[in-house]
Amino acid sequence: MKKIIFNILFLFTVLYLSAQDGHQLWLRDKQAVPVTVICSESSPTLSIARQELKEGWQGKPKTSITLIIKKDKALKDDGFRLGKNSIQANTDIGILYGVYEMLRRQQTSEPINNEVFNPSYERRILDHWDNLDGTVERGYAGNSIFWREDDPFTVTDHDKTLWQQYARANASIGINGSVLNNVNASPLILNADYLARAKAIANVLRPYGVRVYLSVNFASPSTLGNLKTADPLDPSVIAWWKNKVKEIYSIIPDFGGFLVKASSEGQPGPQNYGRTHADGANMLADALKPYGGIVMWRAFVYTANDNDRAKQAYSEFMPLDGKFRDNVIIQVKNGPVDFQPREPFSPLFGAMKKTSVMPEFQVTQEYLGHSVYVVFLSTMWEECLKSDTYQQGAGSTVARCTDGSIYPQKYTAIAGVSNVGLDTNWCGNQFAQANWYAFGRLAWNNTLQSQQIADEWIKLTFYKDPSQKLSEANYAADWNKNFLAPVKQMMLESREAAVNFMMPLGLHHIMSANGHYGPGPWWHPKGVRADWTPPYYHQASTYGIGFDRTKKGSDAVSQYHEPLASQFDNLKTCPEKYLLWFHHLPWDYKMKEGNTLWDALCRHYEKGVNQVREFQKIWDKAGPYVDSTRFMEVQGKLREQCMNAILWKDACQLYFQQFSKRPIPYDLERPINNLDDIMANEFKHKND
Ligand code: GCW
């Protein structure tokens, strides 16, 4: 008898678990317990709030929950007060956020005490690098959910369902804005047909509190509008943008504003007309101002001839501090170069004191293994947000310098470059969903710890439905010990592992070709500008390795506020994780723990590979706790990651060995690939 029951239970468990394919993200269907929802008002957003409670309630049966909209000074517009049986907010969307928080707490067994929740940033935005032909720049999860090449302007029911699911996922983690198209923007986005599609998207996103924004091409007045120029000071150009903005607001009344990549990587900008970034940004800001729109103006700029690319955003933007309108926000990537596995924070954070600044993180894994690697990026963003800039004394973290705590900013915002595409699981890798989740959670609360975020995400994504009393009573304890704990450990270690096997000790930008996937420290084809090639960054020679950014070198250190400038400049105090970012050192340089630099480098590479092998073991053991689809998908990804990690290790050890002329320490495993073979591979990956 016992055996039969066991088998039935087992079958149910298998059926239940195997129904998952990842499409439901962290919002899997639940068997809800009945609940009564009391709310005296109504709106599309409140209907969603009601429905979510009814479909997701896991608390005591027949509880009554009251939703109260009431002005409360302790609450920001999106904020809410969570009581045991009530959610109070100033706005409908505040109520919806409260509902999601309440349900999350039930599912993750977190207590609910009468507590106030306010977002760190007013605007929490996903930037989609989606092209109008449906491809996604640096996207590794299939084509765009917004745009497509065939029949581009018909809005199907399937489109709407997908956009609604996307909006719901965003709302559940507090994301309230989407830039719908690539920053390398086609002027066509401002054509009536595309705007009509943007309107259709906005209509679906609106009840979930997600506003749409568009990336614009600075030359649009001439390329699209047939004007002779796009000079931001030219009256006809000013009038063109004003009219365009008016047209946009007539169809999307709550339009958020523009994102602009100007005078950067070949994109047109004010400098084409002898004007500054401020001239360009302000002209657009003036057009948007009457409607409450903002301009997110990117600081990602660098010219080909400068001696150090890492210095350029700061050099170009600091002289303009204070010259921007209050509805302009300068959007700054976390590091000074470009979303590398590890960079120190951009020195612009905190340094621009009279201009609003917003961080830009990259959720899509351009430089971190595409959708192949399991890399939880939360720890990287946490590291950036918690970095102390010292700009207003100790404690002036990047988080506090951008969220309005230190500088009065009319608007506060944060952006993440999305990793979402048409793949069934949205992100290409089940674990990449955790990065979408983490971005939203950190945008809402920039003091959250990655371990809490990982904990929540694993429970929401993988824990079996609590109402399914399928297995033995100690399932939860067993699950916590044998699934939650090791998987969390894997996630929390995963970014450091990637740093170890790709670019340890401050190395950066040494990947191959334009795909940015595999190793390529040698890569420098003729005609490609130097600052797009790895040798520019690692500077390896028979003497040593690393980029000298000390006072005697490019002096990038001086862009940091003291005590950081001296700390980074001085070998004794420079953190080892940034060693080769700031210093060019001989191969036999003695590291703190006594090894030579060469040995330490080799050891980091091996450590990274071994970490991935450990992740494989963790995941293989997780089999009994995960549905077969997701289990096998992740298992396959980890195998590929491990093979790639070995390639990185072998490639970098063997390539740099040509300069170091030293043996790979004999206690380390031997390379299994020949350098020539690896060099022949440009690691072209799907979507490159
Ligand atoms: O990281 C680099 C990418 C480009 C990208 C650019 C940017 C959208 O390689 O693909 O272009 O940054 O951020 O503008």
Side-chain angles (χ1 to χ4, degrees), residues 485-497:
V487 172
K488 189 162 45 176
Q489 182 204 329
M490 166 175 89
M491 287 173 73
L492 293 174
E493 233 187 82
S494 58
R495 183 270 187 139
E496 203 62 48

Side-chain angles (χ1 to χ4, degrees), residues 129 137-138 182-184 261 264-265 298 300 333 338-339 360 362 366-367 516:
W129 287 356
E137 181 155 352
R138 309 304 179 185
N182 192 353
V183 283
N184 290 328
K261 171 174 177 178
S264 157
E265 294 188 333
R298 295 176 89 228
F300 180 64
K333 290 188 181 184
D338 190 7
F339 298 137
E360 176 179 331
Q362 195 179 41
E366 174 180 357
Y367 294 100
H516 299 175

